[in-house]
Amino acid sequence: MRGVLGLTLHHSQSMRYRADIDGLRAVAVALVVGFHVFPEWITGGYVGVDIFFVISGFLISSIIFKGLDSAGFSYLDFYIRRIRRIFPALIVVLVACLMFGWFELAPPDFRSLGKHVVAGAAFLSNFLVLFEAGYFDTAAQLKPLLHLWSLGVEEQFYIFWPLIAAAIWGRAKNMGLWIFALVALSFLLSLILTPIKPVAAFYLPVTRFWELGIGCAVAYATRHPTALFGWTPVPLDRLVSGRLAGEVCVCIGLMLIAAAAVFFDSTTPFPGWRALLPTVGTAMIIAANLQDCGITKAISNRAMVGLGLISYPLYLWHWPILVAARFLEVDTAQPSVRLYIVLASVLVAWATYRFIETPIRWSKVPRVIPVAGLCSSLAMTGFAGLIIGVQNGVPDRYPEKVRALAAFSYDLPKESRVRRCLLDEDQSFPSFVEECDDKGPSLESQPSVLIWGDSHAAALYAGIKKIRDEGEPFRIMQFTASACPPVLGMSYEQRPHCKRINDYVLARIEALKPSVVVMAAFWSHYNGSPERPLIDIAGLGRTIQRVRQLGPKVILVGNVPVWDVLPAKIVVDSWRKSKWLNKSFEHLDMRSMHMNDALRKLVTSLDVTFVSPFEDFCSSEGCSVFADEEGETLVTADLASHLTPAASFRLMQRPIKETLGTIDQNSAKRW
């Protein structure tokens, strides 16, 4: 049988087993696991997901088209097959994650896990990850079920595609043209969204469906090789010699996949047109269908086929195991440790395939019974996740002394006035609202404090507002933008509006004439990577001088202590070890201390008040996670080290009062 591009297609009506496809699965899962475990070596391994999309689109569409050709397609049978294929391993992984979370995760992390279990059970993980993605989100490396986003995209595709295919089949003059139109529309949306909304383009189904659609097109061309678009002037099987073209396409296909895996990295805009490399490359290999080609044999040997057979459970298991190792404080920086994680993932995946997935999938029991059991089990697992989320991570697991701290959380985006006075990455200075300057009749003649910087500066607002509420009358202005430090001229690709925002804030300082300008940022966050260029210390000095020339006093807030795990987890772990944490350097990111020292050195030659969080919360014995002596509140609330209201109040109370106390009221009015 000849196929698209004149390739020899040995694909029979009975969907004969193809070892090369299992070999491609092995390539895909090896790339994904390699990217997650050894990201410094396999920088573009995430394209393995795109290979999976094409394979899945091809296999599923082949089944659908075969049924439609013979008028024997059954929606019920199709979804039963999907349930028996997908549910068993997924249920086991979700339950295992919940069990691990019960014993090891602090309530905030356990609550987050509960939400992801619900989304995973409902195949909506891609939407949850999309809605969570942002500056205040928990670090992706600590989300055990983050990788289920791709499974969500696939299953969402399979909700609609059988219905669309059946509706078009037999009614349209050319099915291939419809497939082409649907693929083109989805690809166009991906091209449009990737540069302007990269996170949405990555996770939304409509910008990913074209990748599965490429597999659908290959499946259709396999069955109808001369009528892919309906207007081919010469039958495609006469254009080129089948075997020669097939071998060329296999070589080119593997080269395209290899190029994406080697030359792409986490900063590469994706998917967009770049996703053509792994998807078209995979489609070319599948369309060639040369089982006796030397290169095809290389990816179809017993080891590769075996890895391909367990690729689905391996994909499900490897990421939770890696995240669990991080929670257990295993030194995952060591290559040998990461290699053990890979081996453990392969072993658990094989056991899942051998003893759970295979027996259920090919069970001789009437098909309704295992399907009903699987659906009920997945629903109950999702319900358990819902209960955990509703109960805020079940803090009752801990004694009363630990409970409040273990479950500690507060609405940081609300407290810092996100998207109103703390602009997001897609906002520029016109988005600041009038309330960012909380002037009023009673405050018009009072001194004023202007807060300038990124979200760390915005986190100071709650504490400064409390200082005023407790009897110090002054006006508060807040002009902050996430990931935009208060350094004039600083701009970078991930935050293109920073320069204009900072120029605007300086103009507002000149116009509003505040008494005090508080400048703060997550200084050590800007570490010189392409995503966050190295902070310009000299530029910060020049910015401070510009502000001082305009008249206001300046308070520069140094780097806060940064922990590499959630403070709530530190509290829980100290309780488990029967050693209540007072002060320690354990889990402290020392770069934050070094940055604080650099800022202290900068201000020695400037007329500025320097506030050092390390002096407030640390000593020679280490740093404390507590904002008070009684140990009732935490210093920071999240892995991004935003200060809690209690901590920002403690940190800013003295410098705000002392600085305002040096300002003559009459001069404050003139200014």
Side-chain angles (χ1 to χ4, degrees), residues 464-530:
I464 294 175
K465 182 175 180 294
K466 184 179 179 183
I467 296 169
R468 185 183 68 183
D469 293 343
E470 292 195 352
E472 293 286 336
F474 56 89
R475 185 170 155 191
I476 304 176
M477 309 161 188
Q478 178 189 344
F479 300 105
T480 53
S482 67
C484 288
V487 180
L488 294 174
M490 184 170 178
S491 183
Y492 54 105
E493 183 179 351
Q494 303 299 319
R495 289 294 188 273
H497 302 301
C498 282
K499 183 179 183 302
R500 296 181 65 197
I501 290 172
N502 284 332
D503 289 343
Y504 170 80
V505 177
L506 187 68
R508 297 304 292 156
I509 292 172
E510 185 173 10
L512 294 172
K513 302 181 180 3
S515 309
V516 181
V517 174
V518 176
M519 301 173 66
F522 190 178
W523 306 107
S524 61
H525 182 64
Y526 309 96
N527 55 13
S529 67

Side-chain angles (χ1 to χ4, degrees), residues 86-155:
I86 297 297
F87 282 26
L90 177 62
I91 293 169
V92 172
V93 170
L94 293 180
V95 170
C97 286
L98 288 177
M99 292 176 64
F100 174 82
W102 178 269
F103 292 104
E104 294 295 335
L105 298 188
D109 288 321
F110 198 33
R111 178 177 180 270
S112 175
L113 175 62
K115 290 194 299 181
H116 280 267
V117 167
V118 174
F123 300 103
L124 295 173
S125 292
N126 54 321
F127 287 105
L128 177 60
V129 175
L130 172 61
F131 293 146
E132 285 185 341
Y135 195 60
F136 294 99
D137 184 30
T138 301
Q141 64 180 6
L142 294 178
K143 290 182 176 180
L145 299 175
L146 175 72
H147 63 318
L148 294 188
W149 73 267
S150 61
L151 186 61
V153 170
E154 279 198 30
E155 296 312 306

Side-chain angles (χ1 to χ4, degrees), residues 447-449 472 515-518 548 552-556 608-611 652-665:
S448 55
V449 175
E472 293 286 336
S515 309
V516 181
V517 174
V518 176
R548 289 294 292 124
K553 301 282 188 179
V554 173
I555 297 176
L556 179 67
V608 59
T609 299
F610 181 63
V611 177
M652 299 305 298
Q653 186 175 26
R654 180 186 55 79
I656 290 289
K657 289 183 177 181
E658 289 182 357
T659 306
L660 289 178
T662 64
I663 298 173
D664 178 76
Q665 291 297 315

Side-chain angles (χ1 to χ4, degrees), residues 142-413:
L142 294 178
K143 290 182 176 180
L145 299 175
L146 175 72
H147 63 318
L148 294 188
W149 73 267
S150 61
L151 186 61
V153 170
E154 279 198 30
E155 296 312 306
Q156 289 152 26
F157 180 79
Y158 296 135
I159 290 174
F160 298 105
W161 176 234
L163 301 174
I164 294 173
I168 298 173
W169 197 271
R171 295 180 176 85
K173 291 184 179 180
N174 192 283
M175 181 71 174
L177 193 59
W178 280 92
I179 294 174
F180 176 79
L182 293 172
V183 169
L185 178 60
S186 175
F187 181 61
L188 179 62
L189 290 173
S190 180
L191 288 177
I192 293 172
L193 278 182
T194 297
I196 59 176
K197 291 285 186 181
V199 177
F202 195 89
Y203 291 116
L204 282 176
V206 292
T207 52
R208 289 290 196 160
F209 279 177
W210 67 272
E211 301 184 39
L212 291 107
I214 286 179
C216 299
V218 175
Y220 184 76
T222 299
R223 305 188 69 83
H224 303 277
T226 61
L228 182 58
F229 303 112
W231 38 259
T232 308
V234 179
L236 292 173
D237 58 353
R238 297 181 186 177
L239 291 180
V240 291
S241 171
R243 181 172 181 83
L244 176 60
E247 291 179 346
V248 170
C249 280
V250 169
C251 292
I252 294 175
L254 284 175
M255 289 172 62
L256 291 174
I257 293 171
V262 171
F263 295 112
F264 292 177
D265 59 31
S266 59
T267 67
T268 303
F270 201 84
W273 66 266
R274 293 169 181 83
L276 287 171
L277 271 68
T279 54
V280 171
T282 303
M284 294 174 76
I285 296 170
I286 294 174
N289 192 14
L290 293 179
Q291 303 302 312
D292 56 347
C293 170
I295 297 177
T296 306
K297 286 182 178 179
I299 65 171
S300 304
N301 59 58
R302 287 188 63 182
M304 293 293 284
V305 168
L307 185 61
L309 289 174
I310 66 168
S311 60
Y312 172 58
L314 178 56
Y315 181 81
L316 291 182
W317 276 114
H318 81 280
W319 183 250
I321 290 175
L322 179 60
V323 173
R326 290 170 177 154
F327 273 114
L328 294 173
E329 301 174 26
V330 176
D331 187 7
T332 55
Q334 296 294 328
S336 59
V337 172
R338 287 182 278 172
L339 182 59
Y340 285 129
I341 289 172
V342 172
L343 294 176
S345 301
V346 171
L347 180 61
V348 176
W350 174 84
T352 303
Y353 173 80
R354 174 67 178 82
F355 299 110
I356 297 173
E357 182 181 322
T358 301
I360 294 177
R361 187 178 180 187
W362 307 113
S363 171
K364 301 297 184 180
V365 177
R367 61 185 186 176
V368 175
I369 297 176
V371 167
L374 289 170
C375 290
S376 300
S377 298
L378 188 61
M380 288 188 291
T381 304
F383 183 72
L386 178 63
I387 295 299
I388 291 167
V390 170
Q391 294 190 358
N392 293 315
V394 198
D396 291 344
R397 292 174 290 157
Y398 307 112
E400 186 174 352
K401 183 179 182 181
V402 181
R403 193 176 304 157
L405 290 168
F408 181 85
S409 65
Y410 75 100
D411 193 345
L412 180 59

